[in-house]
Amino acid sequence: MRGYLSADIKDEIRRRVDLVDLVGSHVALKKTGRYYKGLCPFHQEKTPSFYVDREKGLWHCYGCQKGGDIYTFVMETGNLAFNEAVEVLARRAGVQLERSPEGLKQASERDRMYRAHEAAAVFFREQLADSARGKPAREYLARRGVDAATAERFRLGYAPNAWDELLKTLGNKGYPPALLEKAGLAQLRQSGDGHFDLFRHRVMFPILDVQDRVVAFGGRALDGSEPKYLNSRETPVFTKGRTLYALNWARDEIRKQDEIVVVEGNMDVLTAHQFGITNAVASLGTSLTADQVLVMKRLASRATIVYDADASGQAAMERAMVLFEEADLPVRVVVLPSGDPDEFLRTHGAEAFRRLVEQALPVFEYQMAMVAARHDARTVEGKVQIVDELVPALAAVTNPVRQTEYLRLLAERFDVREDAVRQRLRAHRKGRVGRPASSGAGPSAGDRDVTATDSDRAQRQAERLLLHLMVHEPMLREAIAERLRAEDFADPVHQVLARTVLGAPDADADALRSRIEDEAAERLLLGLLFQDPPVVEKDKERAVRDAVGYIVERQPAARARDALAKAIAAAQASGDVEQVRRLQTEYVNLVGVTQTSRKGGDGHGQEKGGA
């Protein structure tokens, strides 16, 4: 996994890249003691369990058990191979990588797709600047009021009105048609004979990921062609439902304001940024998805939706509101008097838009207003219809405090009894198809065994305590190694980590990680690194002595005792009196060993919650 990177270059990149800044571009972090804490970017959660240690350069999530350093974070967030992550971080750190011809040949297909998209963005930008070819696109942008600075910042371009200009240009740079087809830049002819450019005679909007790589394009037709707006299809480097347009440009302001403004279209985003609303993003030609909302939640504690005032915009807004409630991300709604955010900003200006955002309605108040406009709240039937339409929205609210408050507001607004609304809510829930319980992120295979005996659990606790102490206290490793071998650890994951720690008495956290090939053992190491051992300083020696004694003396004696008990029962059943007496003598001796060692003190520094 470590690829071609030398240790010196790897360390130099690590020194230059601040892990907190890197993670902070994906997650809103808050300092908690020596650590930074936030919502995990790799699984859905409501209570932060994701920790970053700036000093050690490590991160870890106690929910999904993922963790690592700057390299693993970029690999996980970008779905990249190690060598690809190195290139991303090297660019960020300003470190020059020297790659051999052989290494260049081994560049992955994904890497070539990223490069192809970047080359395409440069090509489209050049076409826009061409005095003759780019004129229709420049005139369109001028009519829409897009200034030169905005066009430059968002890297706008033009796809010429030709069938294969991009194919020829990128082909000359070494990108074959088959790769461009897979990257979503070209289309195979129906006859199967050759390819043609997917985007033709369109204003081009490059779509960048949060690592500032071009991963796709949106194109606006200039000749009335359908569809008017065409987005790249999904590819190995682009998933529409997980990408937000302009998030790479908006994320710093989102973190600064702790709020994200969600609009519908690319032009809405461009105009918002041009008018100083630089925390605005948009979905990509599709309805907002749960994954996109989760991306927002990791960066901000609240959101504001500003969709078009027409019927389709309002319908899209109502669908989106359910997703925000399910994600427990507070959301407010801006009601435009007419048109879309682009038109409103150009007509009324930035200050009027900001006032609308400041006056945005909390989501449930907006929902009540919309439903009240459709039914007569003065009649019994009107109230029934209003409650029944709002009950699904109530059911989608996962925060119990917020749900209770919404229920109270509904009852007061329409003069109905709260208990009547609760009855309708219960009836709605009973009528719903039950959702499967969340699989969550359970403990690693080495940490769980529902049939484990008390002695098995005690063994794992003793093993984990020793590992915990050795990870944090290298000076203890040699002393423990004198009495224990890795093979004495019964849990397979513990055994792998023990072999690594006992074999490297002076290794620090990063050196230990580099020696581990087993993913479960690496997760365990990271989990232990982010927790202080549950033993006060004065009790550490005794805790080590007790834990080692349990593993090498008490536990083997207990296993032998159990075996003897079974043998005695078998001898009694067969009537072998002499064998029974001999085995009983052995049993008494073993019980004495177990009881004597117990007097040394059970429970000193045992890990909480088992292994």
Side-chain angles (χ1 to χ4, degrees):
M1 187 178 80
R2 298 298 183 250
Y4 61 84
L5 191 66
S6 71
D8 289 344
I9 294 295
K10 180 182 175 183
D11 290 342
E12 179 63 22
I13 293 173
R14 185 184 286 111
R15 279 193 295 271
R16 294 194 189 187
V17 176
D18 186 295
L19 180 61
V20 171
D21 291 342
L22 176 67
V23 175
S25 65
H26 296 262
V27 180
L29 295 173
K30 293 184 179 179
K31 201 167 191 313
T32 306
R34 59 175 286 194
Y35 301 122
Y36 290 81
K37 186 177 180 181
L39 292 170
C40 179
F42 307 116
H43 80 286
Q44 184 174 354
E45 62 178 4
K46 297 175 184 177
T47 303
S49 61
F50 183 88
Y51 288 80
V52 178
D53 186 331
R54 171 178 264 158
E55 183 180 334
K56 288 189 172 76
L58 297 173
W59 58 273
H60 180 69
C61 174
Y62 287 100
C64 65
Q65 303 301 314
K66 288 186 177 182
D69 56 9
I70 56 172
Y71 298 100
T72 49
F73 187 81
V74 172
M75 290 167 67
E76 290 285 350
T77 53
N79 193 24
L80 304 178
F82 177 73
N83 291 352
E84 294 171 320
V86 168
E87 293 194 357
V88 170
L89 289 166
R91 286 195 297 270
R92 184 184 182 105
V95 173
Q96 185 68 35
L97 295 176
E98 295 183 6
R99 297 182 63 179
S100 65
E102 182 180 355
L104 290 171
K105 289 180 182 178
Q106 293 175 349
S108 71
E109 184 177 67
R110 286 170 54 85
D111 183 48
R112 298 187 70 200
M113 284 187 188
Y114 286 123
R115 294 174 187 273
H117 277 96
E118 178 61 32
V122 171
F123 170 77
F124 293 140
R125 188 80 183 131
E126 290 171 349
Q127 298 303 301
L128 180 67
D130 185 275
S131 58
R133 279 194 166 186
K135 185 177 179 181
R138 293 196 304 274
E139 289 178 345
Y140 169 80
L141 292 173
R143 288 196 303 273
R144 297 299 300 265
V146 179
D147 62 28
T150 300
E152 177 72 27
R153 184 185 185 205
F154 285 85
R155 304 184 63 183
L156 302 187
Y158 170 63
N161 192 14
W163 285 98
D164 58 2
E165 282 295 311
L166 181 65
L167 276 164
K168 288 178 181 177
T169 301
L170 267 60
N172 291 335
K173 295 179 181 295
Y175 299 103
L179 176 73
L180 298 180
E181 179 192 356
K182 195 168 184 179
L185 296 170
Q187 186 76 34
L188 182 67
R189 297 183 186 277
Q190 287 186 350
S191 64
D193 181 21
H195 294 75
F196 59 89
D197 292 348
L198 182 66
F199 297 99
R200 302 180 307 282
H201 198 36
R202 291 177 180 269
V203 173
M204 299 301 291
F205 299 80
I207 298 167
L208 280 66
D209 64 12
V210 291
Q211 294 165 8
D212 293 319
R213 298 172 302 190
V214 181
V215 295
F217 291 92
R220 203 282 186 187
L222 294 174
D223 57 3
S225 299
E226 291 294 335
K228 181 189 291 187
Y229 290 98
L230 176 65
N231 280 326
S232 296
R233 59 179 175 269
E234 294 198 348
T235 69
V237 299
F238 173 58
T239 303
K240 287 183 184 179
R242 297 178 182 173
T243 308
L244 290 164
Y245 180 64
L247 182 62
N248 58 303
W249 290 294
R251 62 187 173 190
D252 288 344
E253 190 64 22
I254 290 169
R255 288 200 304 269
K256 180 179 177 181
Q257 297 191 28
D258 196 25
E259 181 176 28
I260 189 164
V261 173
V262 187
V263 296
E264 278 194 270
N266 294 0
M267 282 302 304
D268 294 329
V269 170
L270 258 65
T271 304
H273 281 249
Q274 185 170 310
F275 278 75
I277 317 298
T278 53
N279 59 332
V281 301
S283 57
L284 293 165
T286 58
S287 297
L288 200 66
T289 69
D291 284 335
Q292 289 171 327
V293 173
L294 289 176
V295 169
M296 298 180 203
K297 183 177 180 179
R298 291 169 192 136
L299 292 173
S301 66
R302 61 187 186 276
T304 300
I305 305 176
V306 193
Y307 279 6
D308 297 0
D310 59 19
S312 62
Q314 296 306 299
M317 188 183 298
E318 291 195 25
R319 290 193 299 270
M321 288 186 294
V322 175
L323 298 176
F324 283 100
E325 289 291 9
E326 289 178 342
D328 195 22
L329 176 60
V331 61
R332 299 180 303 150
V333 178
V334 168
V335 181
L336 292 174
S338 63
D340 56 27
D342 170 47
E343 179 184 339
F344 183 90
L345 278 161
R346 297 193 185 284
T347 303
H348 301 285
E351 288 309 311
F353 187 86
R354 287 193 177 94
R355 282 196 297 272
L356 281 181
V357 172
E358 291 171 1
Q359 297 164 6
L361 290 174
V363 61
F364 195 67
E365 290 186 22
Y366 170 81
Q367 290 171 310
M368 287 193 296
M370 294 297 291
V371 173
R374 293 194 288 265
H375 304 289
D376 187 354
R378 295 170 298 179
T379 67
V380 173
E381 282 307 311
K383 291 180 180 181
V384 170
Q385 290 171 327
I386 287 170
V387 170
D388 283 352
E389 280 196 34
L390 288 171
V391 157
L394 279 173
V397 180
T398 57
N399 186 302
V401 176
R402 187 175 291 118
Q403 186 185 72
T404 299
E405 185 64 11
Y406 286 173
L407 194 147
R408 184 189 63 79
L409 289 172
L410 170 58
E412 287 183 358
R413 171 77 179 272
F414 299 106
D415 192 23
V416 295
R417 292 175 60 87
E418 283 190 40
D419 59 350
V421 180
R422 292 184 192 280
Q423 287 178 11
R424 298 302 290 165
L425 182 59
R426 285 194 292 269
H428 174 78
R429 285 171 171 162
K430 288 179 181 178
R432 293 172 64 187
V433 177
R435 295 176 180 173
S438 172
S439 60
S444 66
D447 284 343
R448 64 175 183 263
D449 180 1
V450 296
T451 62
T453 64
D454 289 342
S455 62
D456 290 333
R457 283 190 289 270
Q459 169 93 10
R460 286 203 302 271
Q461 287 179 339
E463 292 175 1
R464 183 166 175 136
L465 176 61
L466 289 174
L467 290 170
H468 205 160
L469 288 167
M470 287 193 290
V471 163
H472 285 267
E473 307 276 354
M475 66 185 67
L476 295 174
R477 295 174 193 171
E478 288 189 6
I480 293 173
E482 291 177 0
R483 298 196 61 196
L484 276 181
R485 301 169 304 155
E487 291 73 17
D488 292 322
F489 288 74
D491 185 290
V493 178
H494 291 178
Q495 190 175 113
V496 172
L497 182 54
R499 185 173 292 111
T500 302
V501 176
L502 291 172
D506 300 317
D508 61 11
D510 189 60
L512 290 174
R513 282 190 64 243
S514 67
R515 291 168 173 260
I516 297 175
E517 296 294 333
D518 183 87
E519 290 186 7
E522 184 176 7
R523 287 197 299 269
L524 175 59
L525 171 63
L526 288 166
L528 297 176
L529 283 168
F530 276 83
Q531 291 179 331
D532 291 329
V535 185
V536 296
E537 188 65 36
K538 66 183 181 64
D539 290 337
K540 284 181 180 178
E541 288 188 9
R542 183 172 59 175
V544 168
R545 186 170 61 249
D546 289 347
V548 171
Y550 185 90
I551 293 172
V552 300
E553 295 173 2
R554 285 174 49 200
Q555 180 70 337
R559 288 180 182 143
R561 181 196 65 200
D562 292 342
L564 278 173
K566 292 178 182 178
I568 290 170
Q572 288 173 334
S574 65
D576 189 342
V577 178
E578 288 300 321
Q579 179 72 345
V580 169
R581 288 175 179 170
R582 185 180 65 78
L583 292 174
Q584 285 178 335
T585 300
E586 291 184 35
Y587 184 86
V588 169
N589 291 336
L590 280 173
V591 169
V593 169
T594 305
Q595 291 178 341
T596 300
S597 60
R598 276 181 180 164
K599 292 176 183 177
D602 266 359
H604 286 293
Q606 282 194 347
E607 297 280 324
K608 292 182 179 179

